[in-house]
Amino acid sequence: MTTELLAPPERNYLSAGYTARSWLLTVDHKRIAILYMVSITLFFFVGGAAAVLFRLELMTPEGDLVISETYNKLFTLHGIVMIFLFLIPAVPAVLGNFLVPLMIGARDLAFPRINLLSWYLFMLGGALVMWSTFVGGVDTGWTFYTPYSSTYANTNVMLAALGAFVTGFSSILTGLNFIVTVHTMRAPGLRWFRLPLFIWAHYATSLIMILGTPVVAAAIFLVALERGLGIGIFDPKLGGDPLLFQHLFWFYSHPAVYIMVLPSMGVVSEIIACFSRKRIFGYRFVAMSSMAIAVIGFFVWGHHMFVSGQSVYAGLVFSFLSMLVAIPSAIKVFNWTATMHKGHVWLSTPMLYALGFIGLFTMGGLTGLFLATVAVDVHVHDTYFVVAHFHYIMVGGSVMGYLGGLHFWWPKITGRMYPEWWGRFSAVLVFFGFNLTFFPQFVVGYLGMPRRYHTYPEEFQIYNVMSTAGASILGVAYLIPLIYFIWSLKYGPRATANPWDARGLEWEAASPPITQNFETTPIVTTDAYPYAEDEQRTEETLLV
Amino acid sequence: MNDGFRLHPEQASEIAASVDALYFFQVGVTVFFTVLIFVLIWTFALKYGRARKADRILPPHEFWATELIWAIVPFAIVMIMFGWSAVIFVRGSQTPPNAITIDVIGKQWMWRIYHPEGKREINTLHVPVGQPVRLRMISDDVIHSFYIPAFRAKMDVLPGRHTFMSFTATKPGEYHLFCAEYCGTQHSFMRGRIVVMEPGVFADWIRGSTDEPPEVAGKQLFEQFRCNNCHHNNPGARCPPLGGIYGTTVALQDGTTVTADESYLRESILNPAAHIVAGYKNEMPLYLGQLGEEDVLQLIAYIKTLPSPDATPRSEAENSKP
């Protein structure tokens, strides 16, 4: 009986064209989101393959699987690909691109052609990074520290740095597009404090993208000047200062961590509200905490440099400022948790990912305090403790958020449902695989194992074996969604416009949406997340 | 150094125990809040499961009071961490007046150690227990980082300028020395050991050294580069005399003064134009890129041995001869 009811709209954005040209020249934000999704998925598995290889190498203390040059190139590839080609674009360029216009009731982003240009720049940057790998690789680490990168490294630094430089412009343009869109294209009645938290998170992220990225672009450009033309900027032998690079690099790259995690926080807010059937507790505080994180994030870069030779006073000031990030982070975690109170909690796949995000982000955030604590950081800086901490944020946080969001909006994006049982199974598997991989690294880091070590003393082996075992589980757990998502495109049950009975303008559009998103521009009359409880509450309040 | 399975590293320096105390406090805070969030999430997930009957009357949406509490409590906790750590950090960055200074040069991919007595070591550092030690470190190429986990001590070693690190070992034994800043292909082989000895044993060990003191090589370099053509004590010298200059206060052309320590002498050898001594012109060539850090260290050791002209006028004449 329902076949006809559930049939997708005849003209939707997916059926708008089937030729390669219709995809490669599209200016539809939804199709561009799909282009990004396919690209970053490929890059994710490239970065993952590098991780598999070096995790296998680290099973034994000796360097026996690959030589040191190869090992160094593997961790560099993993870092560059995962950060510049996966984590930074993941949520904003895929889910953000797809959902920002839908959530605010707009037809598209403000600059559809620039949006397509962003993707081409991204692919050009990605191609440069891949090219640098095929012609021999890079061994500087994703951080490109000088004077190693500018004078000493004999690898393809220029190509990879150029790749990172170009993807930066993609990021700037995406940020610009989002900011203009949110400012100018909100549906009638959609006031700022009625915006979904996903939009607030993307707005904060976009600010970082346009304010921070130019600085790292400048830093990379200066490395290229020194490396290519021998102009002394960072190498003391040429009259330069090596610490200048670190200041410029971290001025962007610390806020970049928030580019990677803030959008996932937006995703988590949407999921928690939907599957608790409640408005987010402390909505305005959660929204403003995103902005606070974006702003404070620009004043904490020196915590990457506590042992670099910067002054004791600089160390103390940056330590103090870094501590402040804890407050908006804590506000978010407590508000998400409080949202479940007196809700109707449904432990669906997206919810499991969102709850996993909260747990892992909590641990990642709290262990970040150890690194902001200058006396403790002197010991753990550049050890596996740091590696564990930022993987809790970037994988435990960002990737969990991305996967949660992908499941949540998969019916909207594709018009198909994914298999729920497999979804829950892989969510739980990701959680356990992740913890087995990265928790031992806190311990071995405090024991003193430095990061980026090809060989290491024997007593650290047990922890490395645990990590590698966890990484194999994690690898499988990431492959399962890849398989069932592809499977669902053809065999998944058809999705209704609003399979989760969620609130938000994107659920008023068809699944998959039509090219123009909405038949008529929606008019907004309520705050975000008007779930049943709210209606009930209003009635009760009126009765009293 | 290698004693099988461990959950926690050895404590072998004066600050190790205080760093660990703060660390355990932070572990406590982390466990407390992680467990709290975990328990709350699962309590709510089960109690308010969508198929369950529960009291859902008047669900709250925003309370200023709770928002304030969960902003203020974390703030208070992180300020405790900040203050506690600041005390340890400031104390740890001060060098006790009785510290001995040992020079360290990092170079892809080894550590060279120069004891003040003339003893040299590679990838191993011997220190006496209970004696404050200050390391004066510099790199010949890229950035390295001198890391002793058992001392909870680490400092980057930069090209182009000295960095310093102080510690007092508290327990005889052998400990890991790691390069912690990625420095190229053999980064993970840039490891060594710290050997902490009883003072008497250390004194015997250092006295037994047959290494040539650095000033011997320094004298050869001084002559090879004809430094004394200009730096002599006779009237009309084109450059400032160097006898007895070490440790004195030097008046500069721009009206400021500087203490002639190792960092100043090093800079004046490699990049003389940076600080011109009052009354002189910038006539010395640049040695940046021509002299390695070891050469500079030897030259400075030799300059330190040059006697002050007023104190011993006789040796002044000797020194002014090539």
mmCIF file with all atom_site columns, all heavy atoms in Angstrom, chain A residues 139 237 284 335 343 345 373 381 446 463, chain B residues 6 20 26 48 56 62 67 140 154 182:
data_model
loop_
_atom_site.group_PDB
_atom_site.id
_atom_site.type_symbol
_atom_site.label_atom_id
_atom_site.label_alt_id
_atom_site.label_comp_id
_atom_site.label_asym_id
_atom_site.label_entity_id
_atom_site.label_seq_id
_atom_site.pdbx_PDB_ins_code
_atom_site.Cartn_x
_atom_site.Cartn_y
_atom_site.Cartn_z
_atom_site.occupancy
_atom_site.B_iso_or_equiv
_atom_site.pdbx_formal_charge
_atom_site.auth_seq_id
_atom_site.auth_comp_id
_atom_site.auth_asym_id
_atom_site.auth_atom_id
_atom_site.pdbx_PDB_model_num
ATOM 1   N N   . ASP A 1 139 ? 58.517 13.724 4.099  1.00 0.00 ? 139 ASP A N   1
ATOM 2   C CA  . ASP A 1 139 ? 58.849 13.163 5.421  1.00 0.00 ? 139 ASP A CA  1
ATOM 3   C C   . ASP A 1 139 ? 58.938 14.223 6.512  1.00 0.00 ? 139 ASP A C   1
ATOM 4   O O   . ASP A 1 139 ? 59.633 14.038 7.492  1.00 0.00 ? 139 ASP A O   1
ATOM 5   C CB  . ASP A 1 139 ? 60.172 12.392 5.339  1.00 0.00 ? 139 ASP A CB  1
ATOM 6   C CG  . ASP A 1 139 ? 61.360 13.323 5.273  1.00 0.00 ? 139 ASP A CG  1
ATOM 7   O OD1 . ASP A 1 139 ? 61.187 14.464 4.807  1.00 0.00 ? 139 ASP A OD1 1
ATOM 8   O OD2 . ASP A 1 139 ? 62.456 12.917 5.710  1.00 0.00 ? 139 ASP A OD2 1
ATOM 9   N N   . LYS A 1 237 ? 70.861 29.668 9.833  1.00 0.00 ? 237 LYS A N   1
ATOM 10  C CA  . LYS A 1 237 ? 72.067 29.755 9.011  1.00 0.00 ? 237 LYS A CA  1
ATOM 11  C C   . LYS A 1 237 ? 71.887 30.784 7.910  1.00 0.00 ? 237 LYS A C   1
ATOM 12  O O   . LYS A 1 237 ? 72.861 31.271 7.341  1.00 0.00 ? 237 LYS A O   1
ATOM 13  C CB  . LYS A 1 237 ? 72.390 28.385 8.402  1.00 0.00 ? 237 LYS A CB  1
ATOM 14  C CG  . LYS A 1 237 ? 72.871 27.406 9.450  1.00 0.00 ? 237 LYS A CG  1
ATOM 15  C CD  . LYS A 1 237 ? 73.962 26.488 8.918  1.00 0.00 ? 237 LYS A CD  1
ATOM 16  C CE  . LYS A 1 237 ? 74.604 25.715 10.065 1.00 0.00 ? 237 LYS A CE  1
ATOM 17  N NZ  . LYS A 1 237 ? 74.004 24.408 10.284 1.00 0.00 ? 237 LYS A NZ  1
ATOM 18  N N   . ARG A 1 284 ? 20.718 28.465 24.117 1.00 0.00 ? 284 ARG A N   1
ATOM 19  C CA  . ARG A 1 284 ? 21.526 29.671 23.858 1.00 0.00 ? 284 ARG A CA  1
ATOM 20  C C   . ARG A 1 284 ? 22.960 29.498 24.363 1.00 0.00 ? 284 ARG A C   1
ATOM 21  O O   . ARG A 1 284 ? 23.898 30.040 23.787 1.00 0.00 ? 284 ARG A O   1
ATOM 22  C CB  . ARG A 1 284 ? 20.884 30.889 24.534 1.00 0.00 ? 284 ARG A CB  1
ATOM 23  C CG  . ARG A 1 284 ? 19.654 31.375 23.764 1.00 0.00 ? 284 ARG A CG  1
ATOM 24  C CD  . ARG A 1 284 ? 19.030 32.546 24.462 1.00 0.00 ? 284 ARG A CD  1
ATOM 25  N NE  . ARG A 1 284 ? 18.604 32.161 25.822 1.00 0.00 ? 284 ARG A NE  1
ATOM 26  C CZ  . ARG A 1 284 ? 18.270 33.036 26.758 1.00 0.00 ? 284 ARG A CZ  1
ATOM 27  N NH1 . ARG A 1 284 ? 18.326 34.330 26.503 1.00 0.00 ? 284 ARG A NH1 1
ATOM 28  N NH2 . ARG A 1 284 ? 17.879 32.630 27.945 1.00 0.00 ? 284 ARG A NH2 1
ATOM 29  N N   . ASN A 1 335 ? 25.114 20.225 28.873 1.00 0.00 ? 335 ASN A N   1
ATOM 30  C CA  . ASN A 1 335 ? 23.807 20.524 28.280 1.00 0.00 ? 335 ASN A CA  1
ATOM 31  C C   . ASN A 1 335 ? 23.287 19.367 27.429 1.00 0.00 ? 335 ASN A C   1
ATOM 32  O O   . ASN A 1 335 ? 22.098 19.065 27.442 1.00 0.00 ? 335 ASN A O   1
ATOM 33  C CB  . ASN A 1 335 ? 23.881 21.815 27.462 1.00 0.00 ? 335 ASN A CB  1
ATOM 34  C CG  . ASN A 1 335 ? 23.762 23.052 28.344 1.00 0.00 ? 335 ASN A CG  1
ATOM 35  O OD1 . ASN A 1 335 ? 22.846 23.155 29.146 1.00 0.00 ? 335 ASN A OD1 1
ATOM 36  N ND2 . ASN A 1 335 ? 24.699 23.951 28.215 1.00 0.00 ? 335 ASN A ND2 1
ATOM 37  N N   . GLY A 1 343 ? 13.447 12.936 28.665 1.00 0.00 ? 343 GLY A N   1
ATOM 38  C CA  . GLY A 1 343 ? 13.137 12.834 27.238 1.00 0.00 ? 343 GLY A CA  1
ATOM 39  C C   . GLY A 1 343 ? 12.576 11.460 26.908 1.00 0.00 ? 343 GLY A C   1
ATOM 40  O O   . GLY A 1 343 ? 12.240 10.674 27.806 1.00 0.00 ? 343 GLY A O   1
ATOM 41  N N   . VAL A 1 345 ? 14.197 8.628  25.039 1.00 0.00 ? 345 VAL A N   1
ATOM 42  C CA  . VAL A 1 345 ? 15.487 8.327  24.434 1.00 0.00 ? 345 VAL A CA  1
ATOM 43  C C   . VAL A 1 345 ? 15.393 7.094  23.543 1.00 0.00 ? 345 VAL A C   1
ATOM 44  O O   . VAL A 1 345 ? 14.890 6.050  23.957 1.00 0.00 ? 345 VAL A O   1
ATOM 45  C CB  . VAL A 1 345 ? 16.569 8.126  25.513 1.00 0.00 ? 345 VAL A CB  1
ATOM 46  C CG1 . VAL A 1 345 ? 17.903 7.809  24.865 1.00 0.00 ? 345 VAL A CG1 1
ATOM 47  C CG2 . VAL A 1 345 ? 16.670 9.370  26.379 1.00 0.00 ? 345 VAL A CG2 1
ATOM 48  N N   . THR A 1 373 ? 48.320 22.314 31.066 1.00 0.00 ? 373 THR A N   1
ATOM 49  C CA  . THR A 1 373 ? 49.030 22.459 32.342 1.00 0.00 ? 373 THR A CA  1
ATOM 50  C C   . THR A 1 373 ? 50.522 22.419 32.054 1.00 0.00 ? 373 THR A C   1
ATOM 51  O O   . THR A 1 373 ? 51.081 21.360 31.813 1.00 0.00 ? 373 THR A O   1
ATOM 52  C CB  . THR A 1 373 ? 48.643 21.312 33.288 1.00 0.00 ? 373 THR A CB  1
ATOM 53  O OG1 . THR A 1 373 ? 47.227 21.322 33.415 1.00 0.00 ? 373 THR A OG1 1
ATOM 54  C CG2 . THR A 1 373 ? 49.283 21.459 34.640 1.00 0.00 ? 373 THR A CG2 1
ATOM 55  N N   . HIS A 1 381 ? 54.704 16.538 26.319 1.00 0.00 ? 381 HIS A N   1
ATOM 56  C CA  . HIS A 1 381 ? 54.771 17.153 24.992 1.00 0.00 ? 381 HIS A CA  1
ATOM 57  C C   . HIS A 1 381 ? 55.542 16.257 24.021 1.00 0.00 ? 381 HIS A C   1
ATOM 58  O O   . HIS A 1 381 ? 56.579 15.708 24.374 1.00 0.00 ? 381 HIS A O   1
ATOM 59  C CB  . HIS A 1 381 ? 55.468 18.518 25.116 1.00 0.00 ? 381 HIS A CB  1
ATOM 60  C CG  . HIS A 1 381 ? 55.685 19.199 23.799 1.00 0.00 ? 381 HIS A CG  1
ATOM 61  N ND1 . HIS A 1 381 ? 54.691 19.873 23.143 1.00 0.00 ? 381 HIS A ND1 1
ATOM 62  C CD2 . HIS A 1 381 ? 56.779 19.279 23.003 1.00 0.00 ? 381 HIS A CD2 1
ATOM 63  C CE1 . HIS A 1 381 ? 55.165 20.345 22.010 1.00 0.00 ? 381 HIS A CE1 1
ATOM 64  N NE2 . HIS A 1 381 ? 56.435 19.998 21.890 1.00 0.00 ? 381 HIS A NE2 1
ATOM 65  N N   . TYR A 1 446 ? 52.765 8.764  28.835 1.00 0.00 ? 446 TYR A N   1
ATOM 66  C CA  . TYR A 1 446 ? 53.260 9.242  30.130 1.00 0.00 ? 446 TYR A CA  1
ATOM 67  C C   . TYR A 1 446 ? 54.539 8.505  30.536 1.00 0.00 ? 446 TYR A C   1
ATOM 68  O O   . TYR A 1 446 ? 55.389 9.043  31.224 1.00 0.00 ? 446 TYR A O   1
ATOM 69  C CB  . TYR A 1 446 ? 52.193 9.122  31.227 1.00 0.00 ? 446 TYR A CB  1
ATOM 70  C CG  . TYR A 1 446 ? 52.499 10.063 32.377 1.00 0.00 ? 446 TYR A CG  1
ATOM 71  C CD1 . TYR A 1 446 ? 52.229 11.423 32.272 1.00 0.00 ? 446 TYR A CD1 1
ATOM 72  C CD2 . TYR A 1 446 ? 53.124 9.603  33.538 1.00 0.00 ? 446 TYR A CD2 1
ATOM 73  C CE1 . TYR A 1 446 ? 52.560 12.308 33.283 1.00 0.00 ? 446 TYR A CE1 1
ATOM 74  C CE2 . TYR A 1 446 ? 53.463 10.484 34.571 1.00 0.00 ? 446 TYR A CE2 1
ATOM 75  C CZ  . TYR A 1 446 ? 53.176 11.832 34.431 1.00 0.00 ? 446 TYR A CZ  1
ATOM 76  O OH  . TYR A 1 446 ? 53.526 12.712 35.439 1.00 0.00 ? 446 TYR A OH  1
ATOM 77  N N   . TYR A 1 463 ? 52.107 -1.949 24.889 1.00 0.00 ? 463 TYR A N   1
ATOM 78  C CA  . TYR A 1 463 ? 51.088 -0.922 24.595 1.00 0.00 ? 463 TYR A CA  1
ATOM 79  C C   . TYR A 1 463 ? 50.900 -0.743 23.094 1.00 0.00 ? 463 TYR A C   1
ATOM 80  O O   . TYR A 1 463 ? 49.802 -0.475 22.616 1.00 0.00 ? 463 TYR A O   1
ATOM 81  C CB  . TYR A 1 463 ? 51.473 0.403  25.249 1.00 0.00 ? 463 TYR A CB  1
ATOM 82  C CG  . TYR A 1 463 ? 51.552 0.302  26.753 1.00 0.00 ? 463 TYR A CG  1
ATOM 83  C CD1 . TYR A 1 463 ? 52.781 0.235  27.403 1.00 0.00 ? 463 TYR A CD1 1
ATOM 84  C CD2 . TYR A 1 463 ? 50.395 0.226  27.508 1.00 0.00 ? 463 TYR A CD2 1
ATOM 85  C CE1 . TYR A 1 463 ? 52.852 0.106  28.778 1.00 0.00 ? 463 TYR A CE1 1
ATOM 86  C CE2 . TYR A 1 463 ? 50.451 0.104  28.877 1.00 0.00 ? 463 TYR A CE2 1
ATOM 87  C CZ  . TYR A 1 463 ? 51.683 0.048  29.512 1.00 0.00 ? 463 TYR A CZ  1
ATOM 88  O OH  . TYR A 1 463 ? 51.740 -0.087 30.868 1.00 0.00 ? 463 TYR A OH  1
ATOM 89  N N   . ARG B 2 6   ? 55.412 -1.639 32.949 1.00 0.00 ? 6   ARG B N   1
ATOM 90  C CA  . ARG B 2 6   ? 55.235 -0.505 33.850 1.00 0.00 ? 6   ARG B CA  1
ATOM 91  C C   . ARG B 2 6   ? 53.989 0.251  33.465 1.00 0.00 ? 6   ARG B C   1
ATOM 92  O O   . ARG B 2 6   ? 53.650 0.345  32.297 1.00 0.00 ? 6   ARG B O   1
ATOM 93  C CB  . ARG B 2 6   ? 56.405 0.463  33.687 1.00 0.00 ? 6   ARG B CB  1
ATOM 94  C CG  . ARG B 2 6   ? 57.556 0.183  34.573 1.00 0.00 ? 6   ARG B CG  1
ATOM 95  C CD  . ARG B 2 6   ? 58.630 1.239  34.346 1.00 0.00 ? 6   ARG B CD  1
ATOM 96  N NE  . ARG B 2 6   ? 59.609 1.156  35.404 1.00 0.00 ? 6   ARG B NE  1
ATOM 97  C CZ  . ARG B 2 6   ? 59.445 1.701  36.609 1.00 0.00 ? 6   ARG B CZ  1
ATOM 98  N NH1 . ARG B 2 6   ? 58.382 2.412  36.871 1.00 0.00 ? 6   ARG B NH1 1
ATOM 99  N NH2 . ARG B 2 6   ? 60.374 1.563  37.537 1.00 0.00 ? 6   ARG B NH2 1
ATOM 100 N N   . ASP B 2 20  ? 54.207 14.508 39.142 1.00 0.00 ? 20  ASP B N   1
ATOM 101 C CA  . ASP B 2 20  ? 53.318 13.349 39.215 1.00 0.00 ? 20  ASP B CA  1
ATOM 102 C C   . ASP B 2 20  ? 52.117 13.604 40.121 1.00 0.00 ? 20  ASP B C   1
ATOM 103 O O   . ASP B 2 20  ? 51.008 13.148 39.842 1.00 0.00 ? 20  ASP B O   1
ATOM 104 C CB  . ASP B 2 20  ? 54.086 12.123 39.706 1.00 0.00 ? 20  ASP B CB  1
ATOM 105 C CG  . ASP B 2 20  ? 54.984 11.559 38.610 1.00 0.00 ? 20  ASP B CG  1
ATOM 106 O OD1 . ASP B 2 20  ? 54.902 12.064 37.469 1.00 0.00 ? 20  ASP B OD1 1
ATOM 107 O OD2 . ASP B 2 20  ? 55.758 10.637 38.888 1.00 0.00 ? 20  ASP B OD2 1
ATOM 108 N N   . GLN B 2 26  ? 44.972 15.368 38.156 1.00 0.00 ? 26  GLN B N   1
ATOM 109 C CA  . GLN B 2 26  ? 44.258 15.502 36.880 1.00 0.00 ? 26  GLN B CA  1
ATOM 110 C C   . GLN B 2 26  ? 43.640 14.182 36.434 1.00 0.00 ? 26  GLN B C   1
ATOM 111 O O   . GLN B 2 26  ? 42.550 14.166 35.870 1.00 0.00 ? 26  GLN B O   1
ATOM 112 C CB  . GLN B 2 26  ? 45.209 16.037 35.816 1.00 0.00 ? 26  GLN B CB  1
ATOM 113 C CG  . GLN B 2 26  ? 45.663 17.446 36.135 1.00 0.00 ? 26  GLN B CG  1
ATOM 114 C CD  . GLN B 2 26  ? 46.460 18.084 35.020 1.00 0.00 ? 26  GLN B CD  1
ATOM 115 O OE1 . GLN B 2 26  ? 47.492 17.557 34.612 1.00 0.00 ? 26  GLN B OE1 1
ATOM 116 N NE2 . GLN B 2 26  ? 46.006 19.197 34.518 1.00 0.00 ? 26  GLN B NE2 1
ATOM 117 N N   . TYR B 2 48  ? 14.668 6.956  30.795 1.00 0.00 ? 48  TYR B N   1
ATOM 118 C CA  . TYR B 2 48  ? 13.771 7.652  29.875 1.00 0.00 ? 48  TYR B CA  1
ATOM 119 C C   . TYR B 2 48  ? 13.752 7.001  28.500 1.00 0.00 ? 48  TYR B C   1
ATOM 120 O O   . TYR B 2 48  ? 13.574 7.677  27.498 1.00 0.00 ? 48  TYR B O   1
ATOM 121 C CB  . TYR B 2 48  ? 14.163 9.134  29.780 1.00 0.00 ? 48  TYR B CB  1
ATOM 122 C CG  . TYR B 2 48  ? 14.100 9.839  31.115 1.00 0.00 ? 48  TYR B CG  1
ATOM 123 C CD1 . TYR B 2 48  ? 15.275 10.259 31.749 1.00 0.00 ? 48  TYR B CD1 1
ATOM 124 C CD2 . TYR B 2 48  ? 12.882 10.047 31.742 1.00 0.00 ? 48  TYR B CD2 1
ATOM 125 C CE1 . TYR B 2 48  ? 15.214 10.884 32.988 1.00 0.00 ? 48  TYR B CE1 1
ATOM 126 C CE2 . TYR B 2 48  ? 12.822 10.665 32.977 1.00 0.00 ? 48  TYR B CE2 1
ATOM 127 C CZ  . TYR B 2 48  ? 13.985 11.081 33.605 1.00 0.00 ? 48  TYR B CZ  1
ATOM 128 O OH  . TYR B 2 48  ? 13.920 11.701 34.819 1.00 0.00 ? 48  TYR B OH  1
ATOM 129 N N   . ARG B 2 56  ? 7.777  12.521 33.244 1.00 0.00 ? 56  ARG B N   1
ATOM 130 C CA  . ARG B 2 56  ? 8.337  13.471 32.275 1.00 0.00 ? 56  ARG B CA  1
ATOM 131 C C   . ARG B 2 56  ? 7.627  14.820 32.364 1.00 0.00 ? 56  ARG B C   1
ATOM 132 O O   . ARG B 2 56  ? 7.651  15.608 31.445 1.00 0.00 ? 56  ARG B O   1
ATOM 133 C CB  . ARG B 2 56  ? 8.212  12.917 30.862 1.00 0.00 ? 56  ARG B CB  1
ATOM 134 C CG  . ARG B 2 56  ? 9.069  11.684 30.602 1.00 0.00 ? 56  ARG B CG  1
ATOM 135 C CD  . ARG B 2 56  ? 9.059  11.325 29.140 1.00 0.00 ? 56  ARG B CD  1
ATOM 136 N NE  . ARG B 2 56  ? 9.906  10.188 28.858 1.00 0.00 ? 56  ARG B NE  1
ATOM 137 C CZ  . ARG B 2 56  ? 9.516  8.927  28.893 1.00 0.00 ? 56  ARG B CZ  1
ATOM 138 N NH1 . ARG B 2 56  ? 8.276  8.637  29.230 1.00 0.00 ? 56  ARG B NH1 1
ATOM 139 N NH2 . ARG B 2 56  ? 10.357 7.956  28.603 1.00 0.00 ? 56  ARG B NH2 1
ATOM 140 N N   . GLU B 2 62  ? 16.037 25.208 30.313 1.00 0.00 ? 62  GLU B N   1
ATOM 141 C CA  . GLU B 2 62  ? 17.148 26.112 30.547 1.00 0.00 ? 62  GLU B CA  1
ATOM 142 C C   . GLU B 2 62  ? 17.030 26.618 31.961 1.00 0.00 ? 62  GLU B C   1
ATOM 143 O O   . GLU B 2 62  ? 15.963 27.039 32.395 1.00 0.00 ? 62  GLU B O   1
ATOM 144 C CB  . GLU B 2 62  ? 17.097 27.281 29.558 1.00 0.00 ? 62  GLU B CB  1
ATOM 145 C CG  . GLU B 2 62  ? 18.312 28.165 29.607 1.00 0.00 ? 62  GLU B CG  1
ATOM 146 C CD  . GLU B 2 62  ? 18.285 29.193 28.492 1.00 0.00 ? 62  GLU B CD  1
ATOM 147 O OE1 . GLU B 2 62  ? 18.174 28.784 27.317 1.00 0.00 ? 62  GLU B OE1 1
ATOM 148 O OE2 . GLU B 2 62  ? 18.393 30.381 28.795 1.00 0.00 ? 62  GLU B OE2 1
ATOM 149 N N   . GLU B 2 67  ? 23.403 26.395 34.463 1.00 0.00 ? 67  GLU B N   1
ATOM 150 C CA  . GLU B 2 67  ? 24.412 26.827 33.490 1.00 0.00 ? 67  GLU B CA  1
ATOM 151 C C   . GLU B 2 67  ? 25.588 27.486 34.219 1.00 0.00 ? 67  GLU B C   1
ATOM 152 O O   . GLU B 2 67  ? 26.744 27.259 33.894 1.00 0.00 ? 67  GLU B O   1
ATOM 153 C CB  . GLU B 2 67  ? 23.818 27.813 32.477 1.00 0.00 ? 67  GLU B CB  1
ATOM 154 C CG  . GLU B 2 67  ? 22.674 27.258 31.640 1.00 0.00 ? 67  GLU B CG  1
ATOM 155 C CD  . GLU B 2 67  ? 23.088 26.189 30.648 1.00 0.00 ? 67  GLU B CD  1
ATOM 156 O OE1 . GLU B 2 67  ? 24.279 26.102 30.316 1.00 0.00 ? 67  GLU B OE1 1
ATOM 157 O OE2 . GLU B 2 67  ? 22.206 25.418 30.212 1.00 0.00 ? 67  GLU B OE2 1
ATOM 158 N N   . ASP B 2 140 ? 73.129 22.017 15.719 1.00 0.00 ? 140 ASP B N   1
ATOM 159 C CA  . ASP B 2 140 ? 73.956 22.328 14.554 1.00 0.00 ? 140 ASP B CA  1
ATOM 160 C C   . ASP B 2 140 ? 73.130 22.365 13.274 1.00 0.00 ? 140 ASP B C   1
ATOM 161 O O   . ASP B 2 140 ? 73.608 22.817 12.238 1.00 0.00 ? 140 ASP B O   1
ATOM 162 C CB  . ASP B 2 140 ? 75.040 21.252 14.408 1.00 0.00 ? 140 ASP B CB  1
ATOM 163 C CG  . ASP B 2 140 ? 76.420 21.884 14.354 1.00 0.00 ? 140 ASP B CG  1
ATOM 164 O OD1 . ASP B 2 140 ? 76.511 23.059 13.976 1.00 0.00 ? 140 ASP B OD1 1
ATOM 165 O OD2 . ASP B 2 140 ? 77.395 21.191 14.691 1.00 0.00 ? 140 ASP B OD2 1
ATOM 166 N N   . LYS B 2 154 ? 62.149 18.281 29.714 1.00 0.00 ? 154 LYS B N   1
ATOM 167 C CA  . LYS B 2 154 ? 62.288 18.318 28.265 1.00 0.00 ? 154 LYS B CA  1
ATOM 168 C C   . LYS B 2 154 ? 62.525 19.761 27.837 1.00 0.00 ? 154 LYS B C   1
ATOM 169 O O   . LYS B 2 154 ? 61.954 20.677 28.414 1.00 0.00 ? 154 LYS B O   1
ATOM 170 C CB  . LYS B 2 154 ? 61.004 17.800 27.616 1.00 0.00 ? 154 LYS B CB  1
ATOM 171 C CG  . LYS B 2 154 ? 61.026 17.797 26.095 1.00 0.00 ? 154 LYS B CG  1
ATOM 172 C CD  . LYS B 2 154 ? 59.679 17.433 25.498 1.00 0.00 ? 154 LYS B CD  1
ATOM 173 C CE  . LYS B 2 154 ? 59.287 15.995 25.737 1.00 0.00 ? 154 LYS B CE  1
ATOM 174 N NZ  . LYS B 2 154 ? 58.002 15.861 26.387 1.00 0.00 ? 154 LYS B NZ  1
ATOM 175 N N   . TYR B 2 182 ? 60.728 15.732 16.112 1.00 0.00 ? 182 TYR B N   1
ATOM 176 C CA  . TYR B 2 182 ? 61.028 15.023 14.874 1.00 0.00 ? 182 TYR B CA  1
ATOM 177 C C   . TYR B 2 182 ? 62.114 15.776 14.093 1.00 0.00 ? 182 TYR B C   1
ATOM 178 O O   . TYR B 2 182 ? 61.960 16.966 13.798 1.00 0.00 ? 182 TYR B O   1
ATOM 179 C CB  . TYR B 2 182 ? 59.769 14.881 14.030 1.00 0.00 ? 182 TYR B CB  1
ATOM 180 C CG  . TYR B 2 182 ? 60.055 14.266 12.685 1.00 0.00 ? 182 TYR B CG  1
ATOM 181 C CD1 . TYR B 2 182 ? 60.428 12.930 12.591 1.00 0.00 ? 182 TYR B CD1 1
ATOM 182 C CD2 . TYR B 2 182 ? 59.994 15.023 11.523 1.00 0.00 ? 182 TYR B CD2 1
ATOM 183 C CE1 . TYR B 2 182 ? 60.729 12.369 11.367 1.00 0.00 ? 182 TYR B CE1 1
ATOM 184 C CE2 . TYR B 2 182 ? 60.285 14.462 10.298 1.00 0.00 ? 182 TYR B CE2 1
ATOM 185 C CZ  . TYR B 2 182 ? 60.654 13.129 10.225 1.00 0.00 ? 182 TYR B CZ  1
ATOM 186 O OH  . TYR B 2 182 ? 60.964 12.572 9.027  1.00 0.00 ? 182 TYR B OH  1
#
